[in-house]
Amino acid sequence: MTSTDAPADLSRLLEPLDLGAVKARNRVFLAPLTRMRAEQPGDLVGDLHVEYYRQRATAGLVISEGTQISEEAKGYADTPGVHTREQAAAWRRVTDAVHDEGSVVAAQLWHTGLVDHESLHGGRPPVSASAVQVRTRTSLKDEQGRIVRADVPVPRALETSEIPRLVDDYRRATATALEAGFDLVEIHAAHGYLLHQFLSAVTNHRTDAYGGSLENRQRVVLEVVDALVAEAGRGRVGIRVSPTGKFNGLEDAAGAEEGLDLAARLAERDLAYLHLSEPDWAGGPALDDQWRERLRAAYPGTLVGAGSYDAAKAVRLIDAGLIDAAAFGRTFIANPDLPTRLATGAPLNPQRPETFYGGGAEGYTDYPTLG
Ligand code: PHB
């Protein structure tokens, strides 16, 4: 990459972008963020969520928090679902709010796989590609609603005969999301959750058509992609991947190469975008531009980068043609008007990490905007 001494033009972040079937009004996206504030019973979004997402509809694309596609898919306390009528009706108020503010919104479709706890499923173990124990933890709540971290148990390997049902769970959740007014869906295939557990040979020891070769390990992800594009239409499905890094204990030395191969497979589909979660946010080693150039060659479509970005990094990579937009997580939690702040170089509000997970309005809807 060439570097110059001229300051980057940060206002480029406010340029619109074609995003499959929709248009993003700028290149600063709200990253999917677990906040553990769903209402019970029913894993429902409520008034607080409507306000939180409305405030952040300044984003070019609002991506919802990870939203479970089925009862089985839930792996954390008080995360919302997108698989019941009530959940669809509750989400409708959020999508209406985002549309009222002039933006577009994607539902992030989540199955946590082994990052889960039997206490969330009446004592039944979590499911995964294989019965491989991974050293990671999930977050539950105690009787007082305080977050407690819990080691994850050994999962049960999904039977081959269950895979069509799993793919159909993603398809039905997509239909429910569209009914709820979401413009797009984003498949969560990153961060050591179920689809990543199928992709990686670290967690996939299967001997059927869904394990072994790289092609077999990619099979379930590509079946999900194809089913969702058929359900939602061209340009309405995005996918999030994180081939490198070690979040949730899934560290795969083959990830950098295999991630490029998956990107090439995805480029053959009519997706809205490919969303890359870079390892920096969880303390992993930064990607280099050589790899980014190979990713761009493998995936000529819309690329979204994320992971501890700041405005300068986003603009540098957009100018270099290596990404098209950037998603922001923690900085967007603390700054509902983040696109303007980044584009003008305005100062950012301090973050309050102790209120990231669980609780109510504090640390959720009470961050101030400029002026
Ligand atoms: C989290 O709750 O910490 C979390 C959830 C989903 C992710 C990453 C982190 O993709």
Side-chain angles (χ1 to χ4, degrees), residues 318-351:
I318 290 171
D319 280 344
L322 296 176
I323 61 169
D324 300 289
F328 294 80
R330 290 167 290 200
T331 44
F332 226 138
I333 287 176
N335 298 276
D337 52 353
L338 187 68
T340 320
R341 292 196 195 224
L342 293 184
T344 59
L348 300 178
N349 294 323
Q351 301 170 16

Short mmCIF file of all heavy atoms in Angstrom, two decimals, residues 318-351:
data_model
loop_
_atom_site.label_atom_id
_atom_site.label_comp_id
_atom_site.label_asym_id
_atom_site.label_seq_id
_atom_site.Cartn_x
_atom_site.Cartn_y
_atom_site.Cartn_z
N ILE A 318 -10.73 1.55 2.29
CA ILE A 318 -11.71 1.86 1.22
C ILE A 318 -10.98 2.50 0.04
O ILE A 318 -11.17 2.12 -1.12
CB ILE A 318 -12.83 2.78 1.76
CG1 ILE A 318 -13.73 2.01 2.74
CG2 ILE A 318 -13.67 3.34 0.61
CD1 ILE A 318 -14.74 2.87 3.50
N ASP A 319 -10.09 3.46 0.32
CA ASP A 319 -9.33 4.12 -0.75
C ASP A 319 -8.49 3.12 -1.53
O ASP A 319 -8.31 3.25 -2.75
CB ASP A 319 -8.42 5.20 -0.17
CG ASP A 319 -9.19 6.49 0.13
OD1 ASP A 319 -10.32 6.63 -0.38
OD2 ASP A 319 -8.66 7.34 0.88
N ALA A 320 -7.97 2.12 -0.83
CA ALA A 320 -7.12 1.12 -1.49
C ALA A 320 -7.96 0.08 -2.24
O ALA A 320 -7.41 -0.82 -2.88
CB ALA A 320 -6.24 0.43 -0.44
N GLY A 321 -9.28 0.18 -2.12
CA GLY A 321 -10.14 -0.78 -2.82
C GLY A 321 -10.21 -2.13 -2.13
O GLY A 321 -10.69 -3.11 -2.72
N LEU A 322 -9.74 -2.21 -0.89
CA LEU A 322 -9.69 -3.51 -0.22
C LEU A 322 -10.95 -3.83 0.56
O LEU A 322 -11.22 -5.00 0.86
CB LEU A 322 -8.45 -3.57 0.70
CG LEU A 322 -7.13 -3.49 -0.06
CD1 LEU A 322 -5.94 -3.45 0.90
CD2 LEU A 322 -6.99 -4.67 -1.02
N ILE A 323 -11.72 -2.82 0.95
CA ILE A 323 -13.06 -3.02 1.51
C ILE A 323 -13.95 -1.93 0.92
O ILE A 323 -13.47 -0.97 0.30
CB ILE A 323 -13.10 -2.92 3.06
CG1 ILE A 323 -12.64 -1.53 3.55
CG2 ILE A 323 -12.27 -4.03 3.72
CD1 ILE A 323 -12.91 -1.28 5.03
N ASP A 324 -15.26 -2.10 1.13
CA ASP A 324 -16.22 -1.11 0.63
C ASP A 324 -16.89 -0.36 1.76
O ASP A 324 -17.41 0.74 1.56
CB ASP A 324 -17.28 -1.83 -0.22
CG ASP A 324 -16.62 -2.54 -1.39
OD1 ASP A 324 -16.17 -1.85 -2.32
OD2 ASP A 324 -16.52 -3.78 -1.36
N ALA A 325 -16.95 -0.98 2.93
CA ALA A 325 -17.57 -0.36 4.10
C ALA A 325 -16.93 -0.98 5.34
O ALA A 325 -16.28 -2.03 5.25
CB ALA A 325 -19.08 -0.62 4.11
N ALA A 326 -17.12 -0.32 6.49
CA ALA A 326 -16.58 -0.87 7.73
C ALA A 326 -17.68 -0.90 8.78
O ALA A 326 -18.50 0.03 8.85
CB ALA A 326 -15.40 -0.03 8.23
N ALA A 327 -17.71 -1.97 9.56
CA ALA A 327 -18.68 -2.08 10.65
C ALA A 327 -17.97 -1.80 11.97
O ALA A 327 -16.82 -2.20 12.17
CB ALA A 327 -19.31 -3.46 10.66
N PHE A 328 -18.68 -1.09 12.84
CA PHE A 328 -18.11 -0.67 14.12
C PHE A 328 -18.97 -1.21 15.25
O PHE A 328 -20.20 -1.10 15.20
CB PHE A 328 -18.05 0.86 14.19
CG PHE A 328 -17.08 1.47 13.20
CD1 PHE A 328 -17.46 1.64 11.87
CD2 PHE A 328 -15.80 1.84 13.59
CE1 PHE A 328 -16.57 2.18 10.95
CE2 PHE A 328 -14.90 2.37 12.67
CZ PHE A 328 -15.29 2.55 11.34
N GLY A 329 -18.33 -1.76 16.26
CA GLY A 329 -19.05 -2.35 17.38
C GLY A 329 -19.02 -1.47 18.59
O GLY A 329 -19.91 -0.63 18.82
N ARG A 330 -17.98 -1.62 19.39
CA ARG A 330 -17.94 -0.92 20.68
C ARG A 330 -18.03 0.60 20.52
O ARG A 330 -18.69 1.26 21.33
CB ARG A 330 -16.69 -1.35 21.46
CG ARG A 330 -16.80 -2.79 21.94
CD ARG A 330 -15.50 -3.37 22.43
NE ARG A 330 -14.56 -3.59 21.33
CZ ARG A 330 -13.50 -4.41 21.41
NH1 ARG A 330 -13.25 -5.08 22.51
NH2 ARG A 330 -12.69 -4.55 20.38
N THR A 331 -17.41 1.14 19.46
CA THR A 331 -17.51 2.60 19.29
C THR A 331 -18.94 3.01 18.93
O THR A 331 -19.36 4.12 19.26
CB THR A 331 -16.53 3.12 18.22
OG1 THR A 331 -16.57 2.26 17.10
CG2 THR A 331 -15.12 3.18 18.76
N PHE A 332 -19.68 2.12 18.26
CA PHE A 332 -21.07 2.46 17.92
C PHE A 332 -21.99 2.32 19.13
O PHE A 332 -23.01 3.01 19.25
CB PHE A 332 -21.58 1.60 16.75
CG PHE A 332 -22.31 2.37 15.69
CD1 PHE A 332 -22.10 2.11 14.34
CD2 PHE A 332 -23.23 3.37 16.03
CE1 PHE A 332 -22.77 2.83 13.35
CE2 PHE A 332 -23.90 4.09 15.05
CZ PHE A 332 -23.68 3.82 13.71
N ILE A 333 -21.63 1.41 20.05
CA ILE A 333 -22.40 1.33 21.30
C ILE A 333 -22.35 2.70 21.98
O ILE A 333 -23.38 3.22 22.43
CB ILE A 333 -21.80 0.26 22.25
CG1 ILE A 333 -22.12 -1.15 21.73
CG2 ILE A 333 -22.30 0.45 23.69
CD1 ILE A 333 -21.50 -2.28 22.55
N ALA A 334 -21.17 3.28 22.03
CA ALA A 334 -20.96 4.50 22.83
C ALA A 334 -21.28 5.79 22.07
O ALA A 334 -21.35 6.86 22.67
CB ALA A 334 -19.52 4.55 23.33
N ASN A 335 -21.48 5.68 20.74
CA ASN A 335 -21.71 6.88 19.93
C ASN A 335 -22.82 6.62 18.92
O ASN A 335 -22.57 6.16 17.80
CB ASN A 335 -20.42 7.26 19.19
CG ASN A 335 -19.30 7.61 20.15
OD1 ASN A 335 -19.21 8.74 20.63
ND2 ASN A 335 -18.46 6.63 20.45
N PRO A 336 -24.07 6.94 19.28
CA PRO A 336 -25.18 6.68 18.37
C PRO A 336 -25.03 7.44 17.04
O PRO A 336 -25.56 6.98 16.02
CB PRO A 336 -26.41 7.17 19.13
CG PRO A 336 -25.98 7.40 20.53
CD PRO A 336 -24.49 7.51 20.56
N ASP A 337 -24.33 8.56 17.06
CA ASP A 337 -24.12 9.35 15.84
C ASP A 337 -22.71 9.12 15.29
O ASP A 337 -22.06 10.03 14.78
CB ASP A 337 -24.35 10.84 16.13
CG ASP A 337 -23.55 11.33 17.34
OD1 ASP A 337 -22.92 10.50 18.03
OD2 ASP A 337 -23.55 12.55 17.59
N LEU A 338 -22.26 7.87 15.34
CA LEU A 338 -20.88 7.56 14.95
C LEU A 338 -20.50 7.98 13.53
O LEU A 338 -19.40 8.51 13.33
CB LEU A 338 -20.61 6.07 15.15
CG LEU A 338 -19.14 5.67 14.95
CD1 LEU A 338 -18.25 6.24 16.05
CD2 LEU A 338 -18.99 4.14 14.90
N PRO A 339 -21.36 7.76 12.51
CA PRO A 339 -20.92 8.13 11.15
C PRO A 339 -20.47 9.59 11.06
O PRO A 339 -19.41 9.88 10.50
CB PRO A 339 -22.16 7.84 10.29
CG PRO A 339 -22.85 6.74 11.03
CD PRO A 339 -22.66 7.07 12.48
N THR A 340 -21.28 10.52 11.61
CA THR A 340 -20.90 11.93 11.57
C THR A 340 -19.63 12.18 12.35
O THR A 340 -18.76 12.95 11.91
CB THR A 340 -22.01 12.80 12.20
OG1 THR A 340 -23.26 12.30 11.80
CG2 THR A 340 -21.86 14.25 11.81
N ARG A 341 -19.54 11.58 13.51
CA ARG A 341 -18.33 11.81 14.32
C ARG A 341 -17.08 11.36 13.59
O ARG A 341 -16.06 12.06 13.57
CB ARG A 341 -18.44 11.08 15.66
CG ARG A 341 -19.52 11.65 16.57
CD ARG A 341 -19.31 11.14 17.98
NE ARG A 341 -20.47 11.37 18.82
CZ ARG A 341 -20.42 11.83 20.06
NH1 ARG A 341 -19.26 12.12 20.62
NH2 ARG A 341 -21.53 11.99 20.76
N LEU A 342 -17.15 10.15 12.96
CA LEU A 342 -15.96 9.65 12.26
C LEU A 342 -15.64 10.51 11.05
O LEU A 342 -14.47 10.81 10.79
CB LEU A 342 -16.19 8.20 11.81
CG LEU A 342 -16.31 7.15 12.91
CD1 LEU A 342 -16.44 5.76 12.29
CD2 LEU A 342 -15.12 7.17 13.88
N ALA A 343 -16.67 10.91 10.34
CA ALA A 343 -16.44 11.66 9.10
C ALA A 343 -15.92 13.06 9.36
O ALA A 343 -15.31 13.68 8.48
CB ALA A 343 -17.73 11.72 8.28
N THR A 344 -16.15 13.60 10.56
CA THR A 344 -15.71 14.96 10.86
C THR A 344 -14.54 14.97 11.84
O THR A 344 -14.05 16.04 12.21
CB THR A 344 -16.86 15.77 11.49
OG1 THR A 344 -17.29 15.12 12.68
CG2 THR A 344 -18.02 15.92 10.53
N GLY A 345 -14.12 13.80 12.29
CA GLY A 345 -13.02 13.75 13.26
C GLY A 345 -13.42 14.25 14.64
O GLY A 345 -12.56 14.61 15.46
N ALA A 346 -14.72 14.24 14.94
CA ALA A 346 -15.19 14.69 16.26
C ALA A 346 -14.77 13.69 17.34
O ALA A 346 -14.56 12.52 17.04
CB ALA A 346 -16.71 14.84 16.24
N PRO A 347 -14.65 14.18 18.58
CA PRO A 347 -14.26 13.24 19.65
C PRO A 347 -15.36 12.20 19.91
O PRO A 347 -16.53 12.43 19.61
CB PRO A 347 -14.08 14.15 20.87
CG PRO A 347 -14.76 15.44 20.54
CD PRO A 347 -14.80 15.56 19.05
N LEU A 348 -14.93 11.06 20.46
CA LEU A 348 -15.86 9.95 20.75
C LEU A 348 -16.16 9.89 22.24
O LEU A 348 -15.30 10.20 23.07
CB LEU A 348 -15.24 8.63 20.30
CG LEU A 348 -14.90 8.53 18.80
CD1 LEU A 348 -14.26 7.17 18.49
CD2 LEU A 348 -16.15 8.75 17.95
N ASN A 349 -17.38 9.50 22.57
CA ASN A 349 -17.74 9.29 23.98
C ASN A 349 -16.92 8.14 24.55
O ASN A 349 -16.66 7.16 23.85
CB ASN A 349 -19.22 8.91 24.12
CG ASN A 349 -20.16 10.02 23.71
OD1 ASN A 349 -19.89 11.18 23.96
ND2 ASN A 349 -21.27 9.66 23.09
N PRO A 350 -16.58 8.22 25.82
CA PRO A 350 -15.94 7.06 26.46
C PRO A 350 -16.92 5.88 26.56
O PRO A 350 -18.12 6.08 26.74
CB PRO A 350 -15.55 7.57 27.85
CG PRO A 350 -16.31 8.82 28.08
CD PRO A 350 -16.72 9.37 26.74
N GLN A 351 -16.37 4.67 26.41
CA GLN A 351 -17.21 3.46 26.50
C GLN A 351 -17.36 3.02 27.94
O GLN A 351 -16.47 3.24 28.75
CB GLN A 351 -16.55 2.33 25.70
CG GLN A 351 -16.37 2.67 24.24
CD GLN A 351 -15.49 1.66 23.50
OE1 GLN A 351 -15.25 0.55 23.97
NE2 GLN A 351 -15.00 2.06 22.34
#
